[in-house]
Structure formats: C-alpha cells, structure tokens
Amino acid sequence: MRLDNMLLAEGVSGPEKGGGSAAAAAAAAAAGGAGDNSIEHSDYRAKLTQIRQIYHTELEKYEQACNEFTTHVMNLLREQSRTRPISPKEIERMVGIIHRKFSSIQMQLKQSTCEAVMILRSRFLDARRKRRNFSKQATEILNEYFYSHLSNPYPSEEAKEELAKKCSITVSQVSNWFGNKRIRYKKNIGKFQEEANLYAAKTAVTAAHAAAAAVQNSQTNSPTTPNSGSAGSFSLPHSGDMGFLGMQSLNGHSYQGAQVGANVQSQVDTLRHVISQTAGYSDALRGNTMYSPHGLSANGGWQDATTPSSVISLTEGPGSVHSDTSN
DNA sequence: TCTCATGATTCTTT
DNA sequence: AAAGAATCATGAGA
C-alpha cells in the first residue's frame, strides 16, 4: 500500500502516457522545490519516464503471466475433474494461491522501482548540487546569535525556529549552520577571533543599550567595558584529554550491504541497469536509508566544563584567563 | 582555474 | 537521537 502510494506520487504508477509524464514533471518540481534549472529536471524526467516504462511493461507481463497460469491451472483442474471430484472451493483456493504468489512478485517489482526512483532523486535532486550561500543578513543574524551564546551555542528548538524565520531559511538549515559553525570555530579559533570580536562588540553595544534603557536610573556604576578584546569565552579541548586529536583508525568505509530483498529475476536487474546507467550510484542500491533530513536540536555540552562565563559578562575579573591571542 | 569558504550529507561517537 | 567529525560539492574571489 505504501509502495503504491509512493509510486503514484512519483508519477510512476499513474495513468499511461501524457498524464504520466505530467505527473512526473509535477513530482520533479515538487521534489526540487523552486524548479529553476530546467535542464537537470528534464534529464530527471527522462530517467523517471524510463523507469516508469519499464515498470509498466513488467507489470503488464506479470499480469499476463498470472492470467495465463491461472487458466492453465484451471484447465488442469478441469481435466482432473473427470477422474476425481473437485469442489469449487478447491479451485478457488488454487486461484487464490496463484494470485498471492504473483502479487508478492509484483510487490518486489514495486519495491525495486521505488528504490530506483529514490536513487534517481538522490542523484538529481541532491541539495548539495544547488547550494546557495545564505544572504549576508542571514549570516549576520546567525553569527550574532552564535557569538552572543558562545558559552553554549546550542539554540533551543524555539530559538532555531525564530532564527529560521528571521533568516528565511529552514530550521534544519539553522541546525546545519550551527553544527558547521561549532566544529569550524573549535577547529580554528584563531581564524574566527576577529569575527568573534566584531560580533561580541556588536552584541555588547546592543546589550548596553538595552541595559541602559532598562535601568535608566543607575548611571553611577559604569559597567566595565563589556568585552576587552578576547570574545572567545569557551576553552578549547586543550591538552588535557587529547580530545579529537588522536585516535583515528583509518578504516576504509565499508558499506555494509543490506540487500534489499530484490532478487526478482531479470526485471529487477533491468531496473538496476537503468539506474546504474543513468545515475551511476549503483552502490546506493544496497543501503536503502536515504535522504532523511534529520533535524538537530537540543543541547549537549559545548565543552564538558560549561562554565557559564557569559561572553560579555559585565563582571570583571579572571573570566578571560587565557586570551593568548597571537597579537 | 586555483583556492578557500560554506552549506549539506554521511558516518561515527556519545 | 543528537552532536561531532569528515567529506562532498558548489560558490565566489583572486
């Protein structure tokens, strides 16, 4: 049932010719979001049509074979009925068995077709192929958040949603961005130092304004200059427990082959062949979990000792211990 | 066209 | 399941 729905949605199992390709086009457009480059899509459509044709041909063959076999068995039974009594129930049972057998084969055909479509999609509609840099404004907003939460740069689900809205991107893009940012920042703090200072200063000014507006009265105690230089508040996984530095056994990535029950004779092979010809991702046929945009969320520990030494904390003191900036 | 930046995906670790 | 790490693929500037 699920397979049926999917094939229908992909325009594979829809009505023949004409309507079918329209459905395929719709599927392509839907999958690609804003279909801007029609070249790739037309290519995609062509391949999809190819798959679709094979699917229909094979399906027809199966149906025909099923009918032929049924009549054959019926004839046999009829012949036997001359020598022994055969109840209509028995005939019915036989027909049922045959149909079940054939439908299970059809099932496998459908499954293989689904796999083929998935691979095709992953090949042609891979988002990486259409990567666009975020707008400057969006990057600004994200950076602002990141550097003002440097001690714990793990936005909550709500925060992500808000950021996503502000930046006109999706929540998972926000998650990706933070994932990338954290790792890249950690890897090379020096490189980001300047950026960190910039944004820290920015947020400091904002915070100062906000504070000034809120407090109003107390003008007496001048809050020690928010960020004197080093903005990076969190410490690297330095020395101590070697962190990510060591331990990296070089294991050739071994794709464990989880054969996806697709040994349905040559029909399936034909489909595979089409894919291997068109996409060249034959490997992907083996692992069938594909394209699951896992959204990241929640917070873990940015560093084990999450000393909440807020980035621009107004408290002076030994908060910024190691500011070993090279300048 | 070379190189670096960057968004996305995949695999590994926790 | 989420975060980290590695990697891929493209964008963009030199």
Side-chain angles (χ1 to χ4, degrees):
Chain A
M1 201 57 200
R2 254 176 44 222
L3 290 173
D4 277 332
N5 286 341
M6 181 185 161
L7 289 173
L8 205 64
E10 294 298 335
V12 174
S13 67
E16 275 286 344
K17 297 281 177 195
S21 58
D36 38 5
N37 51 348
S38 56
I39 302 161
E40 272 198 14
H41 280 171
S42 68
D43 208 8
Y44 172 83
R45 276 201 298 277
K47 307 297 182 200
L48 197 61
T49 311
Q50 207 173 341
I51 291 173
R52 191 169 156 276
Q53 273 168 1
I54 291 164
Y55 171 76
H56 279 290
T57 313
E58 297 308 322
L59 203 62
E60 218 168 281
K61 265 193 218 162
Y62 280 143
E63 267 162 23
Q64 204 179 331
C66 181
N67 287 338
E68 272 171 23
F69 194 68
T70 308
T71 36
H72 178 68
V73 170
M74 294 284 266
N75 286 340
L76 278 179
L77 286 173
R78 213 167 292 145
E79 252 174 53
Q80 278 192 11
S81 70
R82 286 189 210 132
T83 56
R84 69 181 179 97
I86 292 177
S87 65
K89 241 191 179 161
E90 193 178 338
I91 296 174
E92 208 175 294
R93 214 187 92 240
M94 287 300 282
V95 172
I97 289 170
I98 294 166
H99 281 194
R100 270 200 295 281
K101 280 279 175 218
F102 273 90
S103 72
S104 81
I105 294 172
Q106 276 191 10
M107 196 64 165
Q108 293 194 43
L109 173 68
K110 283 174 184 175
Q111 195 178 332
S112 299
T113 309
C114 276
E115 283 174 34
V117 172
M118 291 300 279
I119 291 158
L120 195 65
R121 286 181 67 153
S122 74
R123 172 74 180 81
F124 278 87
L125 307 168
D126 187 344
R128 273 190 296 202
R129 296 179 172 279
K130 295 178 293 197
R131 186 178 74 76
R132 289 283 120 85
N133 288 345
F134 295 156
S135 71
K136 227 172 169 191
Q137 196 189 358
T139 313
E140 194 116 320
I141 292 165
L142 293 166
N143 271 318
E144 245 166 59
Y145 188 98
F146 180 81
Y147 287 112
S148 64
H149 296 75
L150 206 50
S151 58
N152 186 37
Y154 298 85
S156 65
E157 203 57 40
E158 296 85 54
K160 279 184 199 170
E161 275 169 29
E162 180 146 357
L163 284 168
K165 207 186 252 179
K166 273 193 204 166
C167 301
S168 309
I169 57 178
T170 67
V171 174
S172 59
Q173 280 179 306
V174 173
S175 296
N176 284 339
W177 190 92
F178 274 89
N180 282 324
K181 191 72 183 180
R182 282 192 298 266
I183 203 109
R184 283 165 186 164
Y185 182 85
K186 222 194 302 192
K187 263 187 176 173
N188 194 350
I189 288 193
K191 198 177 77 183
F192 289 96
Q193 199 56 247
E194 207 177 313
E195 190 178 72
N197 291 342
L198 192 88
Y199 283 102
K202 221 177 205 179
T203 45
V205 169
T206 317
H209 281 172
V215 179
Q216 278 184 352
N217 318 337
S218 60
Q219 294 173 340
T220 49
N221 61 339
S222 58
T224 59
T225 53
N227 65 318
S228 54
S230 69
S233 74
F234 79 107
S235 56
L236 269 181
H238 49 208
S239 54
D241 51 342
M242 72 194 314
F244 54 86
L245 290 179
M247 304 306 197
Q248 200 166 12
S249 59
L250 20 111
N251 55 335
H253 14 253
S254 56
Y255 292 67
Q256 61 261 48
Q259 273 287 5
V260 206
N263 327 324
V264 201
Q265 312 132 351
S266 57
Q267 289 85 348
V268 176
D269 290 330
T270 320
L271 279 165
R272 284 175 190 277
H273 184 60
V274 173
I275 296 312
S276 63
Q277 269 190 331
T278 60
Y281 265 46
S282 55
D283 266 14
L285 275 168
R286 267 170 298 227
N288 76 353
T289 54
M290 40 183 31
Y291 198 76
S292 55
H294 36 265
L296 308 169
S297 68
N299 357 350
W302 180 222
Q303 63 193 80
D304 8 8
T306 48
T307 45
S309 57
S310 57
V311 190
I312 7 173
S313 63
L314 304 176
T315 59
E316 57 195 325
S320 58
V321 177
H322 51 274
S323 58
D324 49 6
T325 54
S326 53
N327 46 354

